[in-house]
Amino acid sequence: MELPKELMVSVSGVRGRVGEALTPEIVARFAAAFGAYLRERTGEARPRVVLGRDSRTSGPMFVHAVTAALQSVGCDVIDIGLAPTPTTLLSIRHHGAAGGIVVTASHNPVEWNALKLASGVGMFLDADEAPAMRAYVADRPIPRAGWDELGTVTVDTDAAARHLQAVLAIPYLDVEGLRRRRFRVALDCIRGAGSAVLPPLLEALGCEVIGINLEPDGRFPRAPEPVAENLGELERLVRESGADIGMATDPDADRLSLVSNTGRAIGEDFTLALAAQLVLRHRPGPVVTNLSTSRILEDVAEAAGVPLQRAAVGEINVARAMERAGAVIGGEGNGGVILPDVHLTRDAAIAVALVLQLLLEHGEPLDRIVAGHTAYTIVKDKLPRDAGSLEEAYAALEAELDAPEADRQDGLRLSWPQDRRWLHLRASGTEPILRIIAEAPDPAAARDLVERARQALAGAPQAG
Ligand code: MG
């Protein structure tokens, strides 16, 4: 099938602007291809596929297209409706399904939507699995079912309740203690899918919830990424309500970002660091994150005396590395917390529970806990660059900066552990640019690293 060139196809799915590159026809093609792939892979005559969506206005339309396509290849659909992405992934294992499809564009702007494809273990497709599915999208004939073999559709309305129970069952979560403490929590679900799970979870934990943007109608009132500069309304809400903490998600509620009791967004890198601080008190063990995540997490691992491993950028890369390392916690600096005790995917509901438990055990307000960590500055920059010819530039930069540690598993990451600074360069998977990111305790040192990288790359042979 000829695909529009603006369509963004990745290992685990496909996304585009609604009504432009992303149409019901495109969505149906990918869904049918995925169903055909699951039948072939599992050998099952009637594989079950869990289907969930975030709150985007185009969600119900694409759910119809996905449902019809899956039925047409003989897959039985289990529709859980509006749900956070982690809720859908958790339901795959609950139903013993062959896979799952989430209709969500995650943190992308409101005009986007996407399909995210997951396998039977409740994790997104990885680079080994994707090509067999993509062959059906490209040119392999899709075997369709006849009139007597069409898939069925079942509605499951209990997915959010099961997810909530799974979070409440985290062994070191002191639900009774939290209920007695009655935290005041300001919550911003950006009119996304988080409101299916987070308000009931906070209520189950005895919190007083002061909520904004809880109506899941997909009309996002702010830029969807839960980064500090997008959380002004939540910061004001925390100040005006005297809340203990503010919490914000992205539209599909796999990322969580925090506002301190003083009404300041503390940056999404702190979510995983604080969650790890709590988990490592109870279960010391390996921690895994990606190459671009803040050193705050490294400090937390160091203080607990456990190893921290870094994986290539991308949720599935971190999740697979966690599996291999037997990690007790991991995730991404963008507010994506992964707790293998529940499942190997980013989950904002889990982050909510872990951060509240840390507040309970620590006994100090969030701004004091944050003040106990080194304050780092992260500087991000980008250069136009052809991803195909970066090896020489990386080699030149590595020689020029002469760092004690160099990691080449995803671009180039140089680090100076003694000075607590690092630099990471990688080609964007979606744009013809090179991303440069540096972190140091001293803002000038972080800026200097980025500047030296820019100069070294300017001197290196040009891409082309
Ligand atoms: Mg997301």
Side-chain angles (χ1 to χ4, degrees):
M1 181 187 204
E2 185 91 17
L3 300 175
K5 81 179 178 313
E6 296 80 14
L7 195 70
M8 317 262 280
V9 181
S10 70
V11 166
S12 61
V14 59
R15 68 194 162 98
R17 286 191 175 81
V18 176
E20 295 174 25
L22 200 71
T23 60
E25 290 88 341
I26 292 284
V27 161
R29 179 70 184 199
F30 274 83
F34 182 61
Y37 158 76
L38 289 180
R39 279 186 74 163
E40 180 179 63
R41 182 180 164 147
T42 62
E44 294 173 31
R46 293 284 286 271
R48 277 171 292 172
V49 181
V50 172
L51 174 59
R53 65 170 177 92
D54 73 15
S55 66
R56 288 165 197 268
T57 57
S58 57
M61 173 178 81
F62 288 133
V63 161
H64 287 306
V66 168
T67 303
L70 288 172
Q71 289 181 277
S72 81
V73 292
C75 290
D76 289 339
V77 178
I78 301 168
D79 184 355
I80 69 163
L82 177 80
T85 294
T87 310
T88 308
L89 298 186
L90 197 61
S91 287
I92 295 172
R93 283 188 311 167
H94 170 80
H95 287 290
I101 296 183
V102 195
V103 180
T104 176
S106 190
H107 58 273
N108 287 117
V110 69
E111 65 271 21
W112 290 75
N113 211 336
L115 299 186
K116 294 276 282 181
L117 309 174
S119 69
V121 294
M123 293 160 80
F124 293 120
L125 294 195
D126 64 22
D128 293 332
E129 297 164 313
M133 188 282 293
R134 291 265 289 280
Y136 282 113
V137 175
D139 48 18
R140 213 175 149 192
I142 295 177
R144 304 282 180 175
W147 68 273
D148 54 350
E149 293 172 329
L150 299 174
T152 60
V153 182
T154 318
V155 172
D156 169 16
T157 55
D158 296 330
R162 285 194 307 269
H163 188 187
L164 195 135
Q165 289 309 316
V167 175
L168 293 176
I170 294 170
Y172 35 84
L173 196 66
D174 177 7
V175 175
E176 283 312 310
L178 283 164
R179 281 184 181 146
R180 280 194 299 275
R181 176 60 183 76
R182 288 198 62 77
F183 282 116
R184 277 169 76 82
V185 179
L187 176 68
D188 175 0
C189 288
I190 187 177
R191 296 177 172 264
S195 40
V197 170
L198 298 193
L201 171 63
L202 289 168
E203 272 158 38
L205 295 174
C207 299
E208 184 188 336
V209 181
I210 306 121
I212 48 171
N213 306 322
L214 302 186
E215 311 80 351
D217 61 10
R219 300 187 181 277
F220 309 149
R222 59 165 167 84
E225 275 208 281
V227 296
E229 60 263 34
N230 295 338
L231 303 182
E233 193 186 2
L234 184 63
E235 290 181 321
R236 272 193 304 283
L237 183 66
V238 169
R239 283 195 296 271
E240 284 162 13
S241 65
D244 295 297
I245 188 169
M247 297 176 157
T249 65
D250 70 334
D252 68 324
D254 54 0
R255 291 167 57 182
L256 187 80
S257 191
L258 306 173
V259 171
S260 86
N261 51 300
T262 60
R264 186 178 69 87
I266 61 175
E268 68 276 20
D269 265 302
F270 261 106
T271 313
L272 176 57
L274 296 175
Q277 195 175 340
L278 183 271
V279 170
L280 294 175
R281 282 173 165 223
H282 298 271
R283 288 197 59 192
V287 178
V288 175
T289 191
N290 68 32
L291 292 161
S292 283
T293 291
S294 169
R295 261 207 61 109
I296 308 168
L297 184 64
E298 223 161 306
D299 296 343
V300 168
E302 250 171 52
V306 301
L308 179 131
Q309 287 180 27
R310 290 191 184 264
V313 172
E315 174 181 350
I316 188 63
N317 299 318
V318 174
R320 293 280 183 211
M322 288 179 69
E323 221 175 10
R324 287 193 297 273
V328 296
I329 183 149
E332 301 172 343
N334 58 15
V337 172
I338 302 177
L339 188 71
D341 271 351
V342 181
H343 53 176
L344 275 164
T345 191
R346 302 178 304 182
D347 190 333
I350 287 172
V352 164
L354 297 180
V355 169
L356 288 176
Q357 179 69 22
L358 178 72
L359 284 182
L360 179 70
E361 291 183 21
H362 209 285
E364 284 193 301
L366 182 55
D367 66 323
R368 298 284 300 276
I369 299 176
V370 168
H373 292 268
T374 301
Y376 291 99
T377 297
I378 284 194
V379 177
K380 296 178 184 177
D381 201 352
K382 55 190 170 190
L383 283 177
R385 201 77 193 189
D386 169 10
S389 56
L390 284 166
E391 287 309 310
E392 277 179 80
Y394 289 154
L397 187 61
E398 195 178 334
E400 157 99 16
L401 294 186
D402 193 27
E405 289 179 7
D407 188 324
R408 294 292 291 268
Q409 59 178 319
D410 181 10
L412 173 65
R413 186 181 191 272
L414 301 173
S415 62
W416 294 261
Q418 294 290 342
D419 311 326
R420 299 174 173 230
R421 58 195 173 99
W422 57 269
L423 170 73
H424 184 207
L425 297 94
R426 65 185 288 272
S428 163
T430 52
E431 297 168 81
I433 56 168
L434 181 69
R435 295 189 190 283
I436 309 176
I437 175 165
E439 183 181 49
D442 172 20
R447 283 194 297 272
D448 179 60
L449 277 178
V450 170
E451 196 43 47
R452 288 174 69 183
R454 287 188 77 102
Q455 282 170 12
L457 291 169
Q462 272 304 304

